Amino acid sequence: MISERVKSNLKQTFSESLLPKLGLLLLVSIVFMAIFAPLLATHDPTRTGHYDEQGAEYPPLGHEYTTQTPHEGDIVEITVEPTTEHVLGTNNVGQDVYSRFLYGARVSLLVGILGTSMALAIGVPVGLVAGYYGGRVDDGLMRIADTMLAFPALVLALALIGVFGESPVMVPDPIVMAGLADGMPESIPIPGTVTIVVALVTWVWFARVARGEALSIRNEEYVKAARSFGTSNKTILLKHVLPNSLTPIIVLATIQVAVIILLEASLAYLGFSGTTLSWGYEIERGQDVLRTRPWVSMFPGIGIVLAVISVNLLGDWFRDALDPNIEGEGR
Amino acid sequence: MTMGKFLVRRILQGVFVIWGVITIMFGLRAVSPGDPATLMLGEGATQELIEHVREQEGLNEPIYVQYFDYLQGMVIGDFGYSWRSNRQVEAMVIERVPATLELAIAATIVAIVIAIPLGVISATRRNEPSDYGATLFSLLGISTPNFWLGLMLILLLGVWAGLFPTGRRPVGFAEAVTTLVQHGSVYDLGIWLKYITLPAITLGTYFTALITRLTRSGMVDELGKPYVTASKAKGLPSVLVRYKHVLRNTMIPIITVLGLQMGTLMGGAVITETVFNWPGLGLRLIDALDARDWPLMQGIVVFIAIAFVSINIVVDALYSYLNPQVREE
């Protein structure tokens, strides 16, 4: 699967350049932030509030909160500037920007990783089968892939979410469940449709890369030998073709995590997400108060940039070390 | 394969792809919740009226009849009527094309003008500060969501520095040129330029970053080839070698990638137009989605697919002209 040569290349590239180290450090910090968000947060990220000029809560609201944007008139909209109570200020509905920043990392990473895994699960088998069997199967599958590519990913995603709704999935938060963080939301929403949709619009890239690999591997001597022994096609695909095409697929998967994080943020910005905890959604909300309260949009954007840079740096590292020639989709 | 045969094959493939897009859009509409007649008339329409519209629009026909009607309409360029405004979809699409086209071209110009020199400098001065600078810039460029970049540009250059206007543009390129021709005044053209600058940078940054990376890596590969050493040994000025021979050979893969990235450009345009309230196709698509205006939504998506497929055929033709080997694949 992963040969010694690959390992030593990875090590060498890592030690030679500063960029992979920076990427790894950034990614580890963001993952840490996402996992321990309930412990690091200073306020319940979904709780809206009234604040006086100094940022002190006034009067206390109790522990009720809502994941929906409250209706106008429900609360007094006072946005406070960064203070010691709210280190990054609050947003238009009085929620703590710093705490939402931490929770936003969860949404981005979850959608990025789950979406990429689903895209892998669809694209790799399709591509391997198309490339290995060739002929009509290949033609048919590649025409489907072409059709998918004729849609800008964002436009197709918007159309799909428009049809199927947003349906967030509420997942219990293990840290809060264990009683380690009082007063934090007990469950976090994962944007359900968005995760599936980003996989549906990006699997084609995995199919293309896997197909290219299978095309070249099927003519290798060891595959011919296996076939002459009467090994079934299924076994050849699983035992020979798949392991030998993994390298470029891993590189692509890394790049795709970054692409999907950006795609999720864009969808959330346009108002097609399942959760208000997304960084993209927060940027959209801050747009209304951009002139007077720029921090509402600024910080979640920095979060997206850091997350995407960290993943891209790792992708560059893998690509430089493993050197496959692949093209990735943009956003 | 001859060029003619190659083109015919690519065009047939393209037609197939567009048929696929039309079919998928029809399928999505068919499975989408909500009765079209109700969506068309809005809440509170009487049952009689809804039934009348269903009959009139052929919504009571079996699904395959509806599909063929729809397909037939698309073939003759009849995209139907918008449910909300009751206007012809073709007209609603066409009137928004210039703004998007202006934006896309401006962004591409921004990208090429900045990226190619940057890539060349980066490749020829490898591991020097200017290379690190260019690498950092392109890393930031491909990692920054363009809607956020747009907002920050509005904030920094529009609101705080006051250099650029931030509202909806008052004049399009065609009107600006008309003013120039009729009154000999460049005033409108200046306004047009001021309004398009920030959106063009917003949309172009990702491509600038992408092309910088491609130019750099392509140039690095090319510079290592024997012909470069040979031309240097012959005493050709290195500027000539770099820009005339090496860059030309680097451009071929860049053109192909750019063709493939047209979908990304269209997606980016949707976002950029939303941020800047730019009166293009993308903004209209978002409006159509919000209103669940299916005919308009389908019309725009199919139009984008046709544009994308056509551009790729042109790119492929160019590519196979430059490099005849690809036709043999």
Side-chain angles (χ1 to χ4, degrees):
Chain A
M1 295 267 277
I2 301 210
S3 67
E4 285 305 313
R5 188 180 59 84
V6 168
K7 275 186 201 157
S8 75
N9 275 352
L10 278 173
K11 264 188 205 153
Q12 200 191 344
T13 323
F14 188 80
S15 60
E16 273 173 4
S17 169
L18 185 69
L19 294 177
K21 295 183 192 105
L22 187 68
L24 200 61
L25 182 73
L26 263 178
L27 189 64
V28 169
S29 325
I30 294 168
V31 170
F32 181 84
M33 226 168 74
I35 293 176
F36 298 108
L39 299 175
L40 300 167
T42 51
H43 294 77
D44 180 336
T46 54
R47 180 167 164 211
T48 56
H50 311 233
Y51 298 96
D52 64 20
E53 298 292 307
Q54 278 73 45
E57 200 163 354
Y58 149 89
L61 272 185
H63 280 277
E64 283 170 22
Y65 61 85
T66 167
T67 50
Q68 302 293 316
T69 313
H71 295 289
E72 260 179 87
D74 276 5
I75 55 147
V76 187
E77 280 192 17
I78 299 177
T79 313
V80 300
E81 291 183 8
T83 55
T84 44
E85 171 71 10
H86 297 280
V87 284
L88 302 182
T90 68
N91 66 12
N92 339 11
V93 293
Q95 295 164 326
D96 184 54
V97 171
Y98 164 72
S99 304
R100 294 181 70 77
F101 180 83
L102 298 172
Y103 273 80
R106 289 187 156 189
V107 174
S108 269
L109 290 182
L110 273 175
V111 175
I113 292 165
L114 290 178
T116 307
S117 313
M118 274 187 228
L120 263 171
I122 308 171
V124 172
V126 169
L128 289 182
V129 166
Y132 181 73
Y133 289 101
R136 288 232 180 106
V137 183
D138 187 26
D139 275 349
L141 290 174
M142 282 304 113
R143 285 297 83 75
I144 294 175
D146 283 349
T147 312
M148 302 293 289
L149 287 178
F151 272 93
L154 181 78
V155 173
L156 180 56
L158 286 172
L160 285 168
I161 297 169
V163 170
F164 297 108
E166 293 158 3
S167 27
V169 183
M170 298 303 284
V171 182
D173 186 330
I175 292 179
V176 178
M177 284 290 144
L180 296 173
D182 279 341
M184 292 295 151
E186 285 175 359
S187 51
I188 51 157
I190 300 176
T193 316
V194 173
T195 311
I196 296 170
V197 161
V198 292
L200 285 179
V201 299
T202 53
W203 66 272
V204 188
W205 296 91
F206 287 101
R208 282 168 67 108
V209 169
R211 170 182 177 264
E213 290 297 305
L215 263 178
S216 66
I217 293 170
R218 72 168 175 186
N219 293 325
E220 296 279 346
E221 293 301 325
Y222 58 85
V223 172
K224 285 183 188 156
R227 215 178 283 140
S228 69
F229 293 144
T231 315
S232 74
N233 283 328
K234 196 180 150 200
T235 313
I236 295 180
L237 269 173
L238 287 177
K239 288 247 162 100
H240 298 293
V241 183
L242 177 63
N244 285 300
S245 34
L246 273 183
T247 310
I249 291 173
I250 291 171
V251 177
L252 180 66
T254 320
I255 300 170
Q256 286 296 325
V257 172
V259 169
I260 287 179
I261 290 177
L262 283 171
L263 193 55
E264 188 276 330
S266 304
L267 289 169
Y269 169 76
L270 293 172
F272 295 83
S273 174
T275 167
T276 61
L277 280 174
S278 168
W279 281 332
Y281 183 85
E282 202 65 4
I283 292 173
E284 197 275 332
R285 187 142 59 181
Q287 190 169 354
D288 296 339
V289 291
L290 187 67
R291 282 151 208 266
T292 48
R293 309 284 190 233
W295 60 85
V296 179
S297 286
M298 207 180 278
F299 293 114
I302 294 172
I304 299 173
V305 174
L306 291 179
V308 175
I309 281 188
S310 71
V311 178
N312 274 332
L313 283 174
L314 290 193
D316 285 353
W317 168 35
F318 292 163
R319 198 191 46 209
D320 290 347
L322 313 174
D323 194 40
N325 252 323
I326 57 163
E327 22 155 308
E329 157 73 313
R331 17 186 184 171
Chain B
M1 210 187 296
T2 64
M3 192 71 190
K5 246 183 171 175
F6 177 78
L7 272 182
V8 168
R9 224 183 96 173
R10 282 297 282 115
I11 291 169
L12 284 178
Q13 282 176 357
V15 169
F16 180 83
V17 165
I18 291 164
W19 169 74
V21 171
I22 294 173
T23 305
I24 291 173
M25 286 309 288
F26 180 83
L28 284 176
R29 174 176 170 179
V31 298
S32 76
D35 172 50
T38 316
L39 280 172
M40 242 179 279
L41 296 164
E43 301 290 328
T46 63
Q47 200 54 42
E48 265 180 326
L49 191 58
I50 289 176
E51 205 39 56
H52 176 72
V53 169
R54 288 188 66 85
E55 196 57 45
Q56 198 183 10
E57 295 285 312
L59 292 166
N60 290 335
E61 303 284 341
I63 191 86
Y64 66 89
V65 175
Q66 290 186 39
Y67 174 67
F68 283 109
D69 280 351
Y70 174 63
L71 200 59
Q72 198 183 9
M74 287 284 176
V75 170
I76 59 168
D78 172 12
F79 285 43
Y81 287 85
S82 155
W83 288 352
R84 282 297 150 117
S85 65
N86 213 18
R87 293 177 55 209
Q88 261 196 323
V89 169
E90 305 93 271
M92 293 181 78
V93 172
I94 297 297
E95 72 188 10
R96 286 300 185 98
V97 170
T100 299
L101 206 60
E102 286 163 34
L103 182 59
I105 292 174
T108 312
I109 292 174
V110 167
I112 290 173
V113 167
I114 299 175
I116 294 198
L118 210 58
V120 173
I121 291 169
S122 192
T124 49
R125 298 187 191 158
R126 222 150 21 121
N127 299 328
E128 284 176 33
S130 45
D131 180 24
Y132 291 133
T135 307
L136 185 70
F137 165 79
S138 53
L139 184 66
L140 278 172
I142 60 163
S143 306
T144 307
N146 52 6
F147 55 92
W148 186 69
L149 177 68
L151 287 178
M152 292 301 118
L153 287 174
I154 291 177
L155 187 65
L156 290 175
L157 301 178
V159 178
W160 289 348
L163 293 174
F164 295 98
T166 55
R168 191 173 186 132
R169 67 172 193 174
V171 58
F173 184 66
E175 290 124 78
V177 170
T178 314
T179 320
L180 178 66
V181 173
Q182 284 178 351
H183 307 289
S185 153
V186 292
Y187 181 74
D188 275 2
L189 215 52
I191 290 185
W192 173 82
L193 199 63
K194 267 194 166 174
Y195 272 88
I196 205 170
T197 307
L198 293 186
I201 296 174
T202 302
L203 181 58
T205 298
Y206 175 76
F207 292 92
T208 312
L210 189 74
I211 300 172
T212 307
R213 282 168 78 111
L214 289 171
T215 310
R216 182 185 183 276
S217 62
M219 284 277 289
V220 166
D221 284 352
E222 283 294 321
L223 285 171
K225 290 194 174 162
Y227 77 89
V228 178
T229 321
S231 348
K232 270 190 200 148
K234 257 185 359 190
L236 282 180
S238 66
V239 171
L240 186 77
V241 178
R242 268 176 217 164
Y243 285 88
K244 193 161 175 217
H245 302 295
V246 177
L247 190 59
R248 185 185 282 178
N249 286 337
T250 312
M251 283 319 289
I252 298 176
I254 294 178
I255 291 173
T256 323
V257 174
L258 282 187
L260 271 175
Q261 292 285 344
M262 287 315 291
T264 314
L265 187 70
M266 289 308 305
V270 173
I271 300 262
T272 309
E273 288 175 10
T274 311
V275 175
F276 289 92
N277 199 8
W278 189 260
L281 262 188
L283 195 60
R284 183 144 278 174
L285 177 66
I286 296 294
D287 291 344
L289 275 163
D290 280 340
R292 296 192 165 260
D293 189 340
W294 273 97
L296 184 55
M297 202 153 101
Q298 286 168 325
I300 296 172
V301 171
V302 170
F303 180 84
I304 290 174
I306 293 172
F308 177 81
V309 166
S310 320
I311 291 168
N312 272 296
I313 291 176
V314 172
V315 170
D316 278 0
L318 263 176
Y319 189 51
S320 74
Y321 174 73
L322 292 170
N323 183 3
Q325 278 175 334
V326 294
R327 277 180 252 155
E328 302 303 330
E329 193 204 330

